[in-house]
Every structure is written in C-alpha cells, then in structure tokens.
C-alpha cells in the first residue's frame, strides 16, 4: 500500500521572514544585483569583489561550555561593496532556515543591504546552527541536539563577532572592539537579537529586531488576533460562525454528524477530530504569507472571496452570508482548491495521511537527516517556546476550533523526540523560563530598535502586543507600521506603503546618530 507522507501540513506556522521574491534586487531601483552571477564592485575603489553567493565557513565552537569538543563549519555570506573604513558591521542571523536562499539580504532590496549602503558598512548573513548546512554534528538526532539551545545560538553570535576574519582588506581588524556591530534579525532571529543584546551587553553596539517574538507564549492563540482584526469583516463573521458550528458538532459526540461535517470539506478520511480541526486552521495560517506588496491572487484573499463573493459578483455585507452559505462555500473551496494545493494530492488516502498527526512512525517525525528545518525548529518549540497556535479562550472570538489546545501539539513532541519526552512536555513552564532568562517583552536594552507590523500574526508575542507596557524610548525605540510579518525588512514594502517607509527611515536616523557617537 502506497502511503504518501507530507511534511508541510504537520507544520505550525513558523517565523520565517519573507524571502525576497525570486529575482529580487534585479529590477529594484538602480541596484541591479543577480546574486548568482553579478560581479560585485566596491563602491569606493571600483574593485571587483567576490560574487555574493560565495559561501564562507567559520570555525564555530560545537559547545561553548566545552571548547575542547572542537569546531564545526558555520556558513556565512558577506559583502563589503559599500564598506568604508570606520563603517559598521551589520550581522544578520537568518534564523530557522537554510540561509542560502536569503542572499537578497546582502543587497539593498532589504534592510540589511540598505543599512550597509547607507552607513558604509559590511553586511554579513549568518546561518543558524542546526539549520541548512551549519551543523555541529552530522545528523539531527536528540543526542546531537544536546548543543541545540538558545544559549549556544547566542554564544555563536559573540564568538563569531570576536573571531571572524573577513576576506577583505583589514578583515582581521573589524571585531567589536574596532568597529560598531549591528545585530539584525527578523521573527525568531529578531528575538535572538534581543536575547543576545540582553545577555551579552557590550558586544553589539546596536540592534534591529523585526517582528521579534521576544515573549515566549505556550498557548499562543493570539497568533490569529491580527488576522481577525484586519481581515474583511464579512469573512471573519462567517469563519467564526462555521467554527462555532464545528465545535458544537464535535462536542456533541454524534459520530454521524461529525462524519458528515468532515465530508463537507473533503476531509471524510481524517480520523481524529482534532486533526480535522487543525486542517480547517490551515487556511488561517496563510495570512502570514501576505505582504503589503503582495499582488492579487494570494491564498487568504482567494479564500475570503470564495466565501463572500457570489458568482454574479454580489458581495456579502459586514455580517457575512451566514452559516449555511459559509459552510457550503468553505467546503467547496477546500475540496476544489485548497486541499489539493496544501497536500499535493486529491487522493483520499493521501489527504488522510496529510492531516494525520497521530502516526509516530511518519518520517516527518523520525527523519534525522540534516537540513530538515522543521525538526530543528520543533526542538525549540518543545523545549523553549511552545507558541502553539490553537483556539482562543471562550472570552474571545475565535477563527480556529477551541478543541485545539497546547496538548494537541505537545503530544507531537513525544513523536519527534521520544528519548527526551516520554510524556508530553508542559511547555508553559519552559516558556516562563525562557522569558526569565532572556527578558521577554520587558527588556530595556539600549540602542536596540524593535520594528513591528500591525497585521503580523506574531505581533502578540512582540513588544507591540496588545496590552504590553514596555515603553518606547529614544534608546529603545518601538517602531510600528501597517505591515505584516517582517515587512520592514524588505525595501519594496516601504516603496508601496508610507508607514513602512517611515519606520525604515526612522531606524536609519537612529543608527546614523548612534554611529556618530561611537
Ligand atoms: C542570474 O544568473 C544566473 C547565472 O548566470 C542565471 O542562471 C540566472 O538565470 C540569473 N537570474 C536572473 C533572474 O536573471
Ligand atoms: C548522529 O550523530 C551522533 C553525534 O551527535 C553520533 O554519535 C551518531 O552515531 C549519529 N547517528 C547516526 C545514525 O548517524
Ligand atoms: C466582504 O468580503 C469581500 C471579499 O473578501 C471583501 O472584498 C469586502 O471588502 C468585504 N466587505 C465587508 C463589508 O466586509
Ligand atoms: C512584564 O510586563 C508585564 C506587563 O506588560 C507584567 O505583567 C509582567 O509581570 C512583567 N514580567 C516580568 C518578568 O517582569
């Protein structure tokens, strides 16, 4: 019997910042950079430099607590095409991805390239340990993960800055004692930027933390709050009505009614009710793919159009069409379009496997080969963060089923890491500990800028969360724009939206001022 395994659908929405679009930088203003072939010129000497896709390897300590274990090769890429002696070193950690896809962050199509260009700096893109090809050990086993900790990643930043010798004139003279370093990150890496500056004062002169999820929150139902607040009213009304109905039917325990409900969405083969609920949440997670510069045809808007716009063009008013219409429209959208794209199959057995989180022998849980970012990422979720994206409490409207609680996700930690978790972890304890170690959203770190987007599903874990009290000061500015997740890191987002442009420019003003004081 042919079983089809799909990794993506098991995923929680993660923190990856937008990749610059394909060919990004090629047609952006005057900065024509094809990172695969472009010959990079030094702006001030005219000299031809190494191509941007030249991979460099840093000998990083495997274990900062035990240097005698030796080193591994940590990948990085860099550009000094805008550098002038005295300029800053802009270090960006790519976070939980294979960093080789993010070389656009060396170009002015992004905030890091722009910082380098404007401030006459060097820009470096560093790959996080246990992601891509930067692995202390040759596999992602639990044994190897003994050195996969937030603290080791923080220590990597310090050791890299203090020891890297850049392949450029004077490249052995640019450590933090000789040059101002600016640490940059978006999303998880934004949090890591805050953690690093909190925990290692004095290494990095300034920081840029975009959509930085500094506060670990185990029961992260707030993930859907930005979506609920900013999506079309009619669509949220209808989604809330469908989900309330789904919860009523599931809680009724009426097996016939539950089966009929699953079949309405083309999910009749999904055995577990919570997996079915999670399958309905999948569409809500596509909100995170949005950017202000996204064109038409993006999945989330397609979904709301399918729910709210009739074939004759008639559009529902603010309260939507109501439950019956929404159930039918959502059902057809799932059956005819979304599930196929999401699971890569129309085969009913394939769909059942795609949404089945209960098979602990699924290679999605057991594959320990390197460059499996999902596994490396889950290690942090299960040990440090939680960040489980389930339903809201009864006191709050919800876009996803309330039967999805942290336990649904914590159970999966025992499949990924059976030697570490003989029973599901209580990640709320871990999250509290992470916050107490690294300051959470109460940090006061000088010359660290927090940038956030109102529409970002991760905003509720940042210093811009509803109800946080961390003050915005000139030494720790909080810049908020209309953007989505990490919008401020992409130049094009500022080009299409003045509020994003304004925060990008404001950040540049702060760095200019701080560098003058260095
Ligand atoms: C960039 O250059 C490479 C190598 O010459 C080429 O294969 C690729 O098509 C170019 N990309 C674009 C978007 O022009
Ligand atoms: C995985 O790496 C560890 C070192 O962390 C090593 O001891 C072990 O043999 C490796 N396992 C496999 C299956 O290669
Ligand atoms: C209703 O939904 C459509 C499609 O998503 C949207 O274009 C429109 O703005 C919405 N109208 C209201 C009043 O919510
Ligand atoms: C952080 O600030 C919040 C208010 O925004 C407060 O409720 C919480 O106790 C603070 N946490 C710590 C660890 O100080």
């Amino acid at each position: 019997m042919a079983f089809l395994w799909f990794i993506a659908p098991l995923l929680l929405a993660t923190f990856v910042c937008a990749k610059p679009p394909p060919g990004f930088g090629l047609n952006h203003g005057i900065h024509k950079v094809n990172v695969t072939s472009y010959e990079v010129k030094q702006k001030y000497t005219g000299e031809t430099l190494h191509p941007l896709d030249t991979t460099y390897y840093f000998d990083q300590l495997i274990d900062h607590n035990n240097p005698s274990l030796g080193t591994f090769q940590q990948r990085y890429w860099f550009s000094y095409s805008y550098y002038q002696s005295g300029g800053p070193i802009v270090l960006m950690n790519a976070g939980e991805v294979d960093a080789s896809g993010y070389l656009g962050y060396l170009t002015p199509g992004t905030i890091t390239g722009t910082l380098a260009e404007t401030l006459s700096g060097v820009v470096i893109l560093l790959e996080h340990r246990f992601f891509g090809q930067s692995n202390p050990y040759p596999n992602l086993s639990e044994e190897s993960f003994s050195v996969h900790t937030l603290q080791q990643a923080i220590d990597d930043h310090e050791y890299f800055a203090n020891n890297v010798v850049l392949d450029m004139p004077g490249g052995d003279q640019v450590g933090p004692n000789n040059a101002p370093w600016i640490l940059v990150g978006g999303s998880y890496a934004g949090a890591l930027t805050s953690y690093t500056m909190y925990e290692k004062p004095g290494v990095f002169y300034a920081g840029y933390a975009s959509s930085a999820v500094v506060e670990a929150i185990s029961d992260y139902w707030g993930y859907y709050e930005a979506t609920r607040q900013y999506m079309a009213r009619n669509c949220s009304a209808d989604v809330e009505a469908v989900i309330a109905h789904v919860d009523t039917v599931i809680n009724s325990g009426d097996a016939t009614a539950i089966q009929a409900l699953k079949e309405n969405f083309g999910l009749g083969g999904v055995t577990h009710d919570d997996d079915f609920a999670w399958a309905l949440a999948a569409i809500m997670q596509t909100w995170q793919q949005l950017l202000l510069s996204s064109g038409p045809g993006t999945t989330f808007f397609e979904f709301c159009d399918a729910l709210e716009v009739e074939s004759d063009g008639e559009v529902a008013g603010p309260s939507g069409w109501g439950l019956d219409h929404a159930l039918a429209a959502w059902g057809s959208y799932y059956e005819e379009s979304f599930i196929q794209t999401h699971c890569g199959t129309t085969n009913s057995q394939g769909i059942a496997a795609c949404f089945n989180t209960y098979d602990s022998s699924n290679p999605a849980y057991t594959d320990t080969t390197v460059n499996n970012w999902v596994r490396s990422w889950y290690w942090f979720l299960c040990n440090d963060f939680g960040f489980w994206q389930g339903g809201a409490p009864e006191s709050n409207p919800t876009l996803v089923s309330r039967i999805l609680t942290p336990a649904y996700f914590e159970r999966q930690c025992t499949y990924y890491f059976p030697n570490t978790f003989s029973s599901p972890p209580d990640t709320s304890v871990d999250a509290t500990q992470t916050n107490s170690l690294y300051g959470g959203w109460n940090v006061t770190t000088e010359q660290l800028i927090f940038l956030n987007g109102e529409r970002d599903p991760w905003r509720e874990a940042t210093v811009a969360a509803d109800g946080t009290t961390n003050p915005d000061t000139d030494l720790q500015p909080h810049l908020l724009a209309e953007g989505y997740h990490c919008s401020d890191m992409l130049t094009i987002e500022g080009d299409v939206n003045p509020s994003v442009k304004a925060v990008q420019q404001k950040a540049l003003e702060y760095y200019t001022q701080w560098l003058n004081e260095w």
Side-chain angles (χ1 to χ4, degrees):
M1 184 157 47
F3 274 97
L4 298 167
W5 306 114
F6 300 96
I7 292 183
L10 293 176
L11 286 190
L12 287 156
T14 179
F15 294 141
V16 182
C17 291
K19 268 194 200 191
F24 197 66
L26 284 175
N27 50 12
H28 193 271
I30 55 167
H31 306 290
K32 302 203 168 173
V33 178
N34 179 345
V35 295
T36 46
S37 68
Y38 184 75
E39 282 200 329
V40 184
K41 299 269 189 213
Q42 221 293 333
K43 180 174 169 184
Y44 301 99
T45 65
E47 179 195 355
T48 298
L49 308 183
H50 66 265
L52 290 183
D53 63 349
T54 309
T55 307
Y56 288 88
Y57 297 91
F58 176 71
D59 292 322
Q60 182 62 269
L61 292 179
I62 291 172
D63 183 351
H64 293 275
N65 301 320
N66 184 0
S68 71
L69 290 179
T71 60
F72 71 98
Q73 298 210 306
Q74 186 170 26
R75 295 198 296 183
Y76 68 99
W77 297 261
F78 88 105
S79 167
Y80 65 105
S81 69
Y82 301 106
Y83 182 65
Q84 275 188 303
S85 179
I89 311 298
V90 178
L91 173 64
M92 168 156 161
N93 188 314
E96 70 280 28
V97 293
D98 176 337
S100 64
Y102 291 77
L103 302 185
Y105 283 93
L106 301 177
T107 77
T110 58
I111 193 67
T112 35
T114 304
L115 289 177
E117 182 184 32
T118 314
L119 307 170
S120 302
V122 170
V123 54
I124 304 172
L125 181 70
L126 179 69
E127 189 165 68
H128 192 293
R129 64 166 56 207
F130 286 109
F131 293 93
Q133 300 300 331
S134 296
N135 294 285
Y137 294 117
N139 61 47
L140 306 181
S141 68
E142 289 166 81
E143 184 190 355
S144 300
F145 279 174
S146 65
V147 290
H148 185 23
T149 64
L150 297 173
Q151 189 60 49
Q152 296 280 358
I154 292 166
D155 293 343
D156 285 349
H157 285 157
E158 178 185 45
Y159 191 78
F160 181 89
N162 283 331
N163 294 287
V164 72
V165 175
L166 295 175
D167 177 22
M168 59 178 251
D172 58 348
Q173 295 297 317
V174 291
N177 294 328
N178 297 316
W181 281 59
I182 302 177
L183 186 61
V184 180
S187 204
Y188 156 61
L192 200 56
T193 296
S194 176
Y195 298 170
T196 303
M197 291 183 70
Y198 175 81
E199 229 261 329
K200 306 269 179 197
V203 179
F204 295 94
Y205 183 66
Y208 183 108
S210 175
S211 299
V213 288
V214 285
E215 181 82 357
I217 300 171
S218 170
D219 187 358
Y220 189 52
W221 60 271
Y223 178 82
Y224 305 97
E225 278 301 276
T227 311
R228 195 180 63 78
Q229 291 166 13
Y230 288 93
M231 72 194 284
R233 285 280 68 87
N234 47 19
C235 194
S236 63
D238 278 338
V239 167
E240 285 167 28
V242 168
I243 293 303
H245 174 70
V246 164
D247 281 355
T248 304
V249 173
I250 291 177
N251 290 330
S252 76
D254 177 342
T256 313
I258 294 171
Q259 185 60 26
L261 184 62
K262 289 177 182 171
E263 280 165 14
N264 175 68
F265 295 92
L267 298 169
V270 177
T271 316
H272 294 273
D273 295 346
D274 48 9
D275 283 345
F276 164 62
W278 183 239
L280 297 182
I283 186 65
M284 298 308 143
Q285 309 227 335
T286 65
W287 178 265
Q288 192 179 323
Q289 298 161 10
L290 295 172
L291 285 171
L292 295 160
S293 56
S294 296
T298 31
T299 307
F300 192 89
F301 292 135
E302 238 177 50
F303 166 71
C304 280
D305 287 351
L307 257 61
E308 305 307 328
V309 186
E310 292 289 72
S311 51
D312 65 2
E314 202 187 337
V315 185
S319 50
W321 294 116
L323 176 63
D324 291 345
H325 183 283
L327 262 179
W330 188 342
S332 328
Y333 176 75
Y334 255 44
E335 276 201 276
E336 286 156 26
S337 160
F338 182 73
I339 291 178
Q340 182 173 356
T341 314
H342 187 75
C343 296
T345 182
T346 48
N347 168 284
S348 62
Q349 209 174 34
I351 292 168
C354 164
F355 291 112
N356 178 11
T357 65
Y358 280 83
D359 180 355
S360 59
S361 68
N362 187 329
Y365 294 127
T366 58
D367 180 4
T368 60
T369 51
V370 300
N371 203 5
N372 174 1
W373 70 269
V374 179
R375 181 174 178 81
S376 300
W377 180 235
Y378 251 85
W379 182 252
F380 280 153
L381 298 183
C382 295
N383 282 289
D384 304 280
F385 296 137
F387 279 135
W388 314 119
Q389 297 141 27
E394 292 285 350
S395 54
N396 202 83
T398 191
L399 300 180
V400 308
S401 166
R402 299 187 210 276
I403 73 164
L404 294 169
T405 63
Y408 175 72
F409 307 96
E410 287 167 345
R411 165 181 52 84
Q412 298 175 52
C413 296
T414 67
Y415 306 161
Y416 277 107
F417 313 113
N419 302 322
T420 308
F421 305 109
S422 54
S423 60
D426 177 353
T427 53
S428 68
V429 174
D430 303 315
T432 302
Q433 192 189 337
T434 300
N435 295 331
S436 77
L437 282 173
Y438 304 119
W441 55 30
N442 295 349
V443 285
T444 50
T445 301
E446 294 190 353
Q447 299 186 174
L448 169 60
I449 308 180
F450 286 111
L451 299 100
N452 285 295
E454 289 169 352
R455 293 166 173 73
D456 180 2
W458 292 101
R459 177 168 53 81
E460 289 300 312
T462 73
V463 296
D466 296 332
T468 48
T469 54
N470 190 340
D472 163 27
T473 67
D474 271 339
L475 276 175
Q476 194 207 69
H478 296 185
L479 306 179
L480 183 65
E482 289 167 7
Y484 291 91
H485 193 52
C486 303
S487 278
D488 52 87
M489 298 192 89
L490 299 180
T491 306
I492 191 171
E493 291 285 279
D495 292 345
V496 302
N497 183 291
S499 80
V500 175
K501 187 73 155 190
V503 299
Q504 291 170 331
Q505 282 175 343
K506 190 75 195 162
L508 277 167
E509 283 167 28
Y510 277 114
Y511 294 125
T512 303
Q513 183 199 326
W514 294 337
L515 291 173
N516 284 338
E517 294 163 7
W518 197 69

